[in-house]
Amino acid sequence: MEIEKLKETARALLADGKGLLAMDESTGTANKRFAPLGIAQTEEMRRAYRDLIVTAPGLGNSISGAILYDETVRQKTRDGRPFVDALIQAGIVPGVKVDAGAKDMAAHPGEKITEGLDGLRERLTEYAGLGLRFAKWRAVITIGDGIPSDGCIAANADALARYAALCQESGLVPIVEPEVLMDGDHTLERCAEMTERVLNVVFETLKRQRVALEGMILKPNMLLPGLQCPVQNSVEEVAGATVTCFLRTVPAAVPGIAFLSGGQESELASARLNAMNVRFRGRMPWALTFSFSRAIQQPALELWRGDDKNVEAAQKALLHRAKCNSAARRGEYNG
Ligand code: 13P
């Protein structure tokens, strides 16, 4: 394993004042986001949308890395450059989602297990050859009546750790994403208890599978009350609970934490990240940044609506959210 190369990639992804842009929606998810806006669900429209994102002028000033989906890795911009090359030219490190999605877990009603380990070594070798420098794998944990179960947490942690070890073998930095969903009516306290339990098992398993913590990035959920919980906590309470949980569970050897947005409203996601970076400045051993998809893209997608004449307005909205989150990463966001 070339640990120095992994550390260098992680450093680039965690560069000061920058964060990651997740644009790795699978075909199914991209189509699901297009449908309510009346955007045609075709390969060309997905390409055109990704073109708009990657060619947004100055995106590299706030975005350090972009996570692609396999289809996009093989597509080109309107002016004929492979998306991977266009990102590199924009000063953005290209990466790719390599899991095959979360499927219903046998004997575990209401729970999911992420698939995609078979043939992963060969796929990673191909991606490394195409110029990709990091990868992402998302595990999904649901809070509900009697769940998550130990079986679901252990199986997902195992898959994350085996994926991470394979990535490092191929010279790719693994983004390890155990997402505790915000669906449900659970409280912030229950989310905190479950996220702490999940992260403890994930790090135990990563160490058992000999993953170099220095050469990975954690992509967790923020600690939030369920969307249907009658008590919605303040930005300060969310920030306090989230960093307190990480200080207990995430080893200092991990260079950075980059949040998913998970369906939070865009401004709230920025405000919460900002509050953490203000309140815990100088007291966190890792960089604390973003790896948002919806919280960066959604306003732009709603403006674009699949129409060429809206590209400029959509790019402006995208750059605005990217800049807001870049400010939040520095603790300098003020709405
Ligand atoms: P959201 O920020 O929309 O949650 O997406 C992040 C991501 O990459 C999910 O895997």
Side-chain angles (χ1 to χ4, degrees), residues 28-84:
T29 303
N31 288 346
K32 206 167 75 187
R33 305 254 157 91
F34 281 8
L37 299 170
I39 304 170
Q41 293 150 57
T42 62
E43 182 175 344
E44 172 49 26
M45 287 309 253
R46 291 190 296 276
R47 192 211 61 75
Y49 178 56
R50 268 71 187 246
D51 196 325
L52 169 170
I53 296 177
V54 169
T55 61
L59 187 66
N61 295 331
S62 10
I63 299 297
S64 55
I67 316 173
L68 304 176
Y69 179 59
D70 184 76
E71 179 181 90
T72 318
V73 169
R74 299 169 201 288
Q75 287 172 327
K76 292 185 173 151
T77 57
R78 192 181 295 241
D79 59 9
R81 293 173 295 156
F83 278 121
V84 173

Side-chain angles (χ1 to χ4, degrees), residues 216-286:
M216 63 160 276
I217 291 173
L218 178 70
K219 176 163 171 166
N221 50 286
M222 293 187 191
L223 271 58
L224 301 169
L227 277 173
Q228 287 83 41
C229 178
V231 182
Q232 290 296 317
N233 303 76
S234 68
V235 167
E236 280 305 320
E237 285 168 338
V238 165
T242 301
V243 179
T244 301
C245 171
F246 296 163
L247 287 170
R248 288 182 187 157
T249 54
V250 184
V254 173
I257 297 176
F259 287 108
L260 60 95
S261 58
Q264 297 173 69
E265 201 256 315
S266 301
E267 279 93 11
L268 257 183
S270 305
R272 287 164 171 162
L273 174 61
N274 187 68
M276 294 179 216
N277 276 316
V278 169
R279 174 156 158 203
F280 293 91
R281 193 190 300 273
R283 289 194 283 145
M284 297 183 287
W286 0 258

Side-chain angles (χ1 to χ4, degrees), residues 17 50 82 96 111 142 156 159 181 219-220 267 295 309 315 320:
R50 268 71 187 246
V96 61
E111 297 194 282
T142 309
N156 275 294
L181 295 176
K219 176 163 171 166
E267 279 93 11
K309 69 175 187 309
Q315 286 182 325
H320 176 65

Side-chain angles (χ1 to χ4, degrees), residues 22 24 136 138 177 179 219 260-263 291-295:
D24 60 332
K136 187 198 95 171
R138 172 174 175 255
E177 181 180 10
E179 174 173 7
K219 176 163 171 166
L260 60 95
S261 58
S291 176
F292 297 158
S293 157
R294 281 163 288 181

Side-chain angles (χ1 to χ4, degrees), residues 166-180:
L166 282 163
C167 282
Q168 292 189 333
E169 180 190 86
S170 293
L172 300 175
V173 166
I175 305 232
V176 172
E177 181 180 10
E179 174 173 7
V180 178

